[in-house]
């Protein structure tokens, strides 16, 4: 059981790293910034 948990944790580390880079890149690629997004969504 310890081997299974260790394997899952070791697989999770690169997945979280790749996911965080992907989310950061998508957030940087979006036009505008957070303030203009807030102003546009509130009527």
């Amino acid at each position: 059981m310890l081997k299974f948990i260790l394997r899952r944790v070791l697989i999770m580390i690169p997945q979280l790293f790749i996911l965080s880079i992907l989310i950061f890149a998508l957030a940087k690629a979006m036009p505008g910034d957070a303030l203009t997004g807030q102003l546009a969504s509130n009527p």
Side-chain angles (χ1 to χ4, degrees), residues 6 9 13 16 20 23 25 31 35-37 39-40:
L6 185 62
V9 169
I13 292 170
L16 287 173
S20 65
I23 291 172
L35 180 62
T36 55
L39 292 176

Side-chain angles (χ1 to χ4, degrees), residues 11-25:
I11 289 172
M12 187 174 40
I13 292 170
Q15 285 180 344
L16 287 173
F17 182 69
I18 291 170
L19 185 64
S20 65
I21 289 176
L22 182 66
I23 291 172
F24 179 75

